[in-house]
Amino acid sequence: MKEIFEHIENNINETINNLFRMVSQPSVSAQSNGFDRAPDLMCKIAEEYGLKTTILRPDNNGFPSIFAEKKSKNSDKTLLFYTHYDVQPPDPLELWESDPFKPEKIGDRLYGRGMSDDKGNIAARLAAIKAFLDIEKDLPVNIKLFMEGEEEIGSRNLLSIIDKNKNLLSADACIWEGGGRNMSNNPFIYLGLKGVLSINMKVKKLNVDAHSSYAPILPSAIERLTLAINSFKNEFGHIIIKDFHSDILPLSDEERNAILSLPNDSKEWEDTFGIDFSEYNNESIDDMKIKLYAEPTANVAGFNSGYNGPGMKTVLPSVAECKMDFRLVPDQNPNKIFKNIKDHLIQNGFSDIDIEPFGKVFPYRTNISSPLVNLVKETAFQVYKKEPVVSPNNPGSGPMYEFGGMLGLPVVSAGIDHPTHKIHAPNENITVEDLILGSKHIALIMKKLVTNE
Amino acid sequence: MKEIFEHIENNINETINNLFRMVSQPSVSAQSNGFDRAPDLMCKIAEEYGLKTTILRPDNNGFPSIFAEKKSKNSDKTLLFYTHYDVQPPDPLELWESDPFKPEKIGDRLYGRGMSDDKGNIAARLAAIKAFLDIEKDLPVNIKLFMEGEEEIGSRNLLSIIDKNKNLLSADACIWEGGGRNMSNNPFIYLGLKGVLSINMKVKKLNVDAHSSYAPILPSAIERLTLAINSFKNEFGHIIIKDFHSDILPLSDEERNAILSLPNDSKEWEDTFGIDFSEYNNESIDDMKIKLYAEPTANVAGFNSGYNGPGMKTVLPSVAECKMDFRLVPDQNPNKIFKNIKDHLIQNGFSDIDIEPFGKVFPYRTNISSPLVNLVKETAFQVYKKEPVVSPNNPGSGPMYEFGGMLGLPVVSAGIDHPTHKIHAPNENITVEDLILGSKHIALIMKKLVTNE
């Protein structure tokens, strides 16, 4: 691999140039900005690297995914990469020190929207492919590179795209976007993402707002909604919705130990949020890690009713509304969970609460015993020279289920991330070092996939 | 009284002219509109009726109250009238069919902002005074006419104005603004108003909003606030704040019977609010009347936290806030109730909830056995020829305590109201008939105050 790694280092300027070409082209899915040109540009660049491309359009007017592949002459193994070419809105623009769509190198960092999330990951994968093709005139495995166009707006068409293209996307393993290094520069690898069920709850008790002098005889929409919210948890904060936990796949000992071995970030959380965990609860850091990485949640994201302006209005509001997100863990199914919540409300006397779903992401977690996990860990250690940190399940969410669950693949992350990259924020960036290290890691995974399994 | 009543009828055009002069002058306290001229105009008109006037200015930049008096040559009894000359904002202007400050007579109705509430009541009192002075060359009792300038914005300076002018305002009885006829044209008399304690509750759990993936380990401000709200009542909706009910003066049998004799408006409430009481609760109409007219409330007027826009934001909000109003009945004290609520929160583990008062009105109820009540009832029957409806305590609130409690006076309403007058709404009006009947009722009360006691 010495020559491959040297090629990645020696050709870093070409990699950066192509990354700059991608970042220069806006592709802001939330603002529908740039999709007249972005898909073609992504295809053009992939084709320059020797890949064959196909644009996978959703049935509706959503933004297409791009599929690019190149076969190996000597391997029947196939590695699928999940990435996305859409980016977050650059706003607030006034906080950028450079133009988000005019990439710049300042010191050892490259700035621009999407530089790290996720065009940097696409560039690293292309750099690894290029190294093999230049040095070995072949790829060690067949490569399928999937680039989604709607990740930043909830992957709303991904499930149907995957469903329709199962054969096209068949593979032996999937490497996820993301991952890279943590604050201590240990390689950081994750094997799963939580799912999400987002709901709206609304209760209307009166045709019109009433003067609050009627409070003795009229029902209160706000009180009904607060009672419904409180009915979801017991006094210890445990979710008590019937059957909510029924399908949860227990952590194996190995997974539990991996979570408990994750760095203790409690001090950082305390500083960020201005809280003192010792005052807030009496849980051990071990309990907190298990909860954060591997347990479901019921969170109220917004609550709105009545008069909230200056001073006072003596009103009894007719309507109250709230938004909740339930993060789910394997093998909870957001459709079943929605039914559980609905049943819970009816069984607890809340049939007056209207509940609507408007976001569903399935959870997924690759088994920590999967050979792919070891492969990514071992190759990370070889490239980064530091012990990898493995998180069986991340607290956040993403469309990993579509690849892991629907295509039946082990999915492990490997990437170019670093906590200093400011993804989703102004001045998003990547270091040249992270781009080189990430590309080398991808190259080594490609090489070892054939020999290790 | 025949001549007095005829005088009122014969001089109705002069009464209307003076009412139009008052209505033509804006005096919108909420919008600080017209107070450069309104107090002087009210004094001028009162003086034209033979009263001596004093402007009572609050210490701050609030709007003054106007005191006007005229002594009787032959009586040592004094009757105090509470009224107010400020009016509600005329908005929404586009719904007026006439100019709110250019009074107009259309058919038998007079239109304009303040025509009924409360300049019509002032005009009725002046018409009665004028009748006695013209016919008998004297008043049957000493008259003190108090006209507040801040009733529509919560009477914020009234308590200190009354406190500083106790001698000036000393009297034997007080006739309240409001009252008149109900929808069946029975005279409607009320003896009390509820008090109000308005509070703001706020809970801040985090320095900044968190991504909702942190929900397993971070506290939720919304959940804390919903729990605090729910802690105020038991499952039957009864307020369970310790000592909340301690000072409540029980209804006498006579008061209870008076409340139970009030018209059954449940059908009208059902139509207005689109509810079905039989589905909502199993209370008898008797229970509902007692609750509405004579029991305290804890109402949530507004709740605001987190993201409430379109779609979903996976956020764990740092702060949640709500506004509540507690309507109080005699002899609850809003200052003690505020302390009870504060103690309740601390004793129930909610010391993280910040609570601020920003509105306090004391409750007041004149004893139904007071001779003044009989006097107003009997005179009402004589004038209106229909059985009066007596409400010992109204569901709404107003500054009656300042007169009844602080000055130690019996307070009973008598006025020119009718449910069709659209007070506080566009096209506020009064009928000529209500103005005449109300003036006659006031005149008869003045006459009988001397002979009846």
Side-chain angles (χ1 to χ4, degrees):
Chain A
M1 288 295 292
K2 190 162 172 290
E3 276 181 292
I4 299 290
F5 284 179
E6 279 174 4
H7 183 280
I8 287 169
E9 282 172 22
N10 294 339
N11 289 274
I12 189 64
N13 285 340
E14 189 191 338
T15 302
I16 292 172
N17 279 348
N18 283 321
L19 175 53
F20 276 22
R21 285 167 72 197
M22 291 190 265
V23 172
S24 301
Q25 171 58 49
S27 50
V28 187
S29 46
Q31 300 171 340
S32 300
N33 178 16
F35 288 87
D36 50 340
R37 305 183 56 175
D40 288 341
L41 177 70
M42 298 310 291
C43 287
K44 186 164 186 288
I45 291 173
E47 281 164 12
E48 287 170 14
Y49 278 85
L51 299 161
K52 206 182 105 207
T53 62
T54 314
I55 294 184
L56 307 176
R57 294 193 187 278
D59 292 333
N60 55 30
N61 58 357
F63 307 122
S65 294
I66 291 155
F67 176 74
E69 71 176 322
K70 180 148 186 89
K71 293 226 184 310
S72 162
K73 291 173 201 156
N74 296 306
S75 172
D76 56 359
K77 295 259 183 202
T78 301
L79 187 59
L80 173 67
F81 291 109
Y82 168 80
T83 61
H84 62 90
Y85 70 96
D86 67 325
V87 299
Q88 280 280 314
D91 313 80
L93 286 170
E94 63 276 17
L95 296 183
W96 282 84
E97 284 164 33
S98 59
D99 184 324
F101 299 115
K102 285 189 183 155
E104 269 183 63
K105 183 170 187 293
I106 304 171
D108 63 345
R109 285 183 189 268
L110 319 173
Y111 290 84
R113 173 55 85 222
M115 194 65 84
S116 180
D117 178 23
D118 201 30
K119 290 171 177 173
N121 276 307
I122 295 172
R125 281 142 181 77
L126 293 175
I129 289 167
K130 170 89 171 158
F132 282 111
L133 291 177
D134 282 357
I135 303 291
E136 299 186 355
K137 315 296 173 198
D138 191 19
L139 295 176
V141 285
N142 303 311
I143 291 298
K144 294 183 174 180
L145 176 54
F146 185 87
M147 298 180 275
E148 191 192 352
E150 298 184 323
E151 196 268 352
E152 300 292 6
I153 50 172
S155 303
R156 53 194 179 182
N157 289 298
L158 185 60
L159 204 133
S160 74
I161 288 176
I162 304 295
D163 196 43
K164 267 191 271 178
N165 294 284
K166 277 186 173 165
N167 286 337
L168 190 70
L169 294 163
S170 68
D172 295 289
C174 176
I175 295 296
W176 202 248
E177 58 125 357
R181 294 192 291 175
N182 68 9
M183 208 46 121
S184 334
N185 290 327
N186 288 80
F188 180 75
I189 293 163
Y190 60 88
L191 318 181
L193 289 168
K194 289 188 183 177
V196 185
L197 168 68
S198 300
I199 64 167
N200 197 75
M201 292 206 297
K202 181 174 178 174
V203 55
K204 179 175 178 173
K205 298 306 293 184
L206 307 172
N207 275 344
V208 290
D209 286 0
H211 190 277
S212 72
S213 60
Y214 283 104
I217 57 165
L218 294 183
S220 159
I222 293 182
E223 282 183 10
R224 292 297 296 160
L225 196 54
T226 58
L227 285 167
I229 288 170
N230 288 342
S231 76
F232 291 145
K233 294 185 184 174
N234 69 10
E235 59 186 305
F236 308 108
H238 297 153
I239 299 166
I240 52 173
I241 297 162
K242 189 162 176 285
D243 293 333
F244 186 85
H245 299 85
S246 302
D247 295 333
I248 293 180
L249 184 72
L251 292 171
S252 68
D253 287 349
E254 197 182 349
E255 285 165 335
R256 181 172 295 273
N257 289 335
I259 290 172
L260 299 183
S261 306
L262 290 171
N264 178 357
D265 293 326
S266 59
K267 187 74 185 60
E268 187 195 311
W269 299 329
E270 289 188 329
D271 291 348
T272 304
F273 297 115
I275 57 168
D276 178 350
F277 281 121
S278 68
E279 278 182 16
Y280 158 54
N281 57 26
N282 283 314
E283 286 171 339
S284 66
I285 179 68
D286 281 0
D287 289 342
M288 285 171 60
K289 282 180 186 173
I290 296 292
K291 282 170 81 171
L292 181 60
Y293 291 100
E295 289 186 7
T297 66
N299 172 62
V300 191
F303 192 125
N304 185 41
S305 178
Y307 178 74
N308 295 294
M312 187 66 193
K313 184 177 174 186
T314 47
V315 66
L316 194 171
S318 57
V319 179
E321 257 183 294
C322 75
K323 292 176 196 282
M324 292 188 72
D325 55 86
F326 295 80
R327 284 199 195 254
L328 309 177
V329 297
D331 288 328
Q332 288 178 303
N333 175 326
N335 295 314
K336 279 179 74 176
I337 294 294
F338 180 73
K339 190 178 176 304
N340 294 340
I341 295 168
K342 227 171 159 168
D343 290 348
H344 168 94
L345 289 174
I346 290 165
Q347 282 156 19
N348 287 271
F350 293 108
S351 48
D352 53 342
I353 311 267
D354 281 333
I355 164 174
E356 292 288 339
F358 58 89
K360 288 176 187 171
V361 176
F362 281 73
Y364 186 73
R365 180 171 71 229
T366 289
N367 193 309
I368 198 167
S369 310
S370 157
L372 182 68
V373 177
N374 262 334
L375 187 155
V376 176
K377 273 171 70 178
E378 283 171 20
T379 50
F381 184 77
Q382 282 176 261
V383 170
Y384 291 95
K385 317 287 185 207
K386 292 191 84 167
E387 198 58 47
V389 169
V390 177
S391 175
N393 211 114
N394 251 20
S397 303
M400 195 183 266
Y401 170 83
E402 279 81 340
F403 295 85
M406 290 175 70
L407 298 178
L409 302 180
V411 185
V412 180
S413 73
I416 48 83
D417 290 357
H418 194 275
T420 59
H421 285 179
K422 302 187 174 173
I423 69 168
H424 290 208
N427 302 310
E428 180 177 348
N429 66 80
I430 183 177
T431 62
V432 177
E433 189 188 8
D434 281 309
L435 187 57
I436 291 172
L437 286 166
S439 303
K440 287 180 180 176
H441 189 201
I442 293 293
L444 197 55
I445 291 168
M446 285 164 64
K447 188 74 177 181
K448 292 284 173 115
L449 189 72
V450 192
T451 54
N452 262 40
E453 286 197 11
Chain B
M1 290 297 290
K2 189 163 173 287
E3 277 182 288
I4 298 291
F5 284 180
E6 280 174 5
H7 183 283
I8 287 170
E9 282 172 23
N10 295 338
N11 289 273
I12 189 65
N13 285 340
E14 188 191 338
T15 302
I16 292 173
N17 279 348
N18 283 321
L19 175 53
F20 276 22
R21 284 167 73 196
M22 292 190 265
V23 172
S24 301
Q25 171 58 51
S27 50
V28 188
S29 45
Q31 299 171 342
S32 300
N33 178 17
F35 288 87
D36 50 340
R37 306 184 56 176
D40 288 342
L41 177 70
M42 299 309 292
C43 288
K44 185 164 186 288
I45 292 173
E47 282 164 13
E48 288 170 13
Y49 278 85
L51 299 161
K52 206 183 103 204
T53 61
T54 314
I55 293 184
L56 307 176
R57 292 193 188 279
D59 293 333
N60 54 31
N61 59 357
F63 306 122
S65 293
I66 292 156
F67 175 74
E69 72 176 324
K70 176 138 188 100
K71 292 228 183 310
S72 162
K73 292 173 199 156
N74 295 306
S75 173
D76 57 358
K77 296 261 185 201
T78 302
L79 186 59
L80 173 66
F81 291 109
Y82 169 80
T83 60
H84 62 91
Y85 70 96
D86 67 325
V87 299
Q88 279 281 317
D91 314 80
L93 287 170
E94 64 276 16
L95 296 184
W96 280 84
E97 284 164 33
S98 58
D99 185 323
F101 299 115
K102 284 188 183 157
E104 269 184 66
K105 183 168 187 291
I106 304 170
D108 63 344
R109 286 184 188 266
L110 319 172
Y111 289 84
R113 171 56 85 222
M115 193 66 84
S116 180
D117 178 23
D118 199 32
K119 290 171 177 172
N121 277 306
I122 295 172
R125 281 141 181 77
L126 292 174
I129 289 167
K130 171 88 170 158
F132 283 111
L133 291 177
D134 283 357
I135 305 290
E136 301 186 354
K137 316 295 175 199
D138 191 17
L139 295 177
V141 285
N142 302 312
I143 290 297
K144 294 184 173 179
L145 175 55
F146 185 88
M147 297 181 273
E148 192 192 350
E150 298 184 323
E151 196 267 353
E152 300 291 5
I153 51 172
S155 302
R156 54 194 180 183
N157 289 298
L158 185 61
L159 205 135
S160 76
I161 287 176
I162 305 295
D163 196 44
K164 266 191 273 178
N165 294 286
K166 278 186 174 166
N167 286 337
L168 189 71
L169 295 163
S170 68
D172 296 289
C174 176
I175 295 296
W176 202 248
E177 59 125 357
R181 294 192 290 175
N182 68 10
M183 206 48 120
S184 334
N185 291 325
N186 287 81
F188 181 75
I189 293 164
Y190 60 88
L191 317 181
L193 289 169
K194 289 187 182 178
V196 184
L197 169 68
S198 301
I199 63 166
N200 197 74
M201 293 206 296
K202 181 174 177 174
V203 55
K204 179 175 177 171
K205 299 306 292 184
L206 307 172
N207 276 345
V208 290
D209 285 1
H211 190 275
S212 72
S213 59
Y214 283 103
I217 58 166
L218 294 182
S220 159
I222 293 182
E223 281 182 12
R224 292 298 295 162
L225 196 55
T226 58
L227 285 166
I229 288 170
N230 289 342
S231 77
F232 291 145
K233 294 185 183 171
N234 69 10
E235 59 187 303
F236 307 107
H238 297 152
I239 297 167
I240 53 173
I241 296 162
K242 190 163 175 283
D243 293 333
F244 185 85
H245 300 85
S246 302
D247 295 333
I248 293 179
L249 184 71
L251 292 171
S252 68
D253 287 349
E254 197 181 349
E255 285 165 335
R256 180 173 296 273
N257 289 336
I259 289 172
L260 299 183
S261 306
L262 290 171
N264 178 357
D265 294 327
S266 59
K267 187 74 186 59
E268 187 193 311
W269 300 328
E270 288 188 328
D271 291 348
T272 304
F273 298 113
I275 57 170
D276 177 350
F277 281 121
S278 68
E279 277 183 16
Y280 158 54
N281 57 26
N282 283 314
E283 286 171 340
S284 66
I285 180 69
D286 282 359
D287 290 341
M288 284 173 60
K289 282 181 185 173
I290 296 292
K291 282 170 81 171
L292 180 60
Y293 291 101
E295 289 186 7
T297 66
N299 172 62
V300 192
F303 192 124
N304 185 41
S305 177
Y307 178 75
N308 295 293
M312 188 66 194
K313 185 177 173 186
T314 47
V315 65
L316 195 171
S318 58
V319 179
E321 257 183 294
C322 75
K323 293 178 196 284
M324 291 189 73
D325 55 86
F326 295 79
R327 284 199 196 254
L328 309 177
V329 297
D331 289 327
Q332 289 178 304
N333 175 327
N335 295 313
K336 279 179 74 177
I337 294 293
F338 180 71
K339 191 180 173 305
N340 294 341
I341 296 168
K342 227 172 158 166
D343 289 349
H344 168 93
L345 289 175
I346 290 166
Q347 282 156 19
N348 287 273
F350 292 108
S351 48
D352 53 341
I353 311 268
D354 282 333
I355 163 174
E356 293 288 337
F358 59 90
K360 288 175 187 171
V361 176
F362 281 73
Y364 185 73
R365 179 171 72 230
T366 289
N367 193 308
I368 198 166
S369 310
S370 159
L372 183 67
V373 177
N374 262 333
L375 188 153
V376 175
K377 273 171 68 179
E378 283 171 20
T379 50
F381 184 77
Q382 284 178 259
V383 170
Y384 291 93
K385 317 288 185 207
K386 291 193 86 168
E387 199 59 47
V389 169
V390 177
S391 175
N393 212 113
N394 250 20
S397 303
M400 194 183 266
Y401 169 83
E402 280 80 342
F403 295 85
M406 290 175 70
L407 297 177
L409 301 179
V411 185
V412 179
S413 73
I416 47 82
D417 290 357
H418 195 276
T420 58
H421 285 179
K422 299 188 177 173
I423 69 168
H424 289 208
N427 303 311
E428 180 177 346
N429 66 81
I430 182 178
T431 61
V432 177
E433 187 188 9
D434 282 309
L435 187 57
I436 291 173
L437 286 166
S439 303
K440 287 180 180 176
H441 190 201
I442 293 292
L444 196 56
I445 291 168
M446 285 165 65
K447 188 74 176 181
K448 293 284 173 116
L449 189 71
V450 191
T451 54
N452 263 40
E453 287 198 6

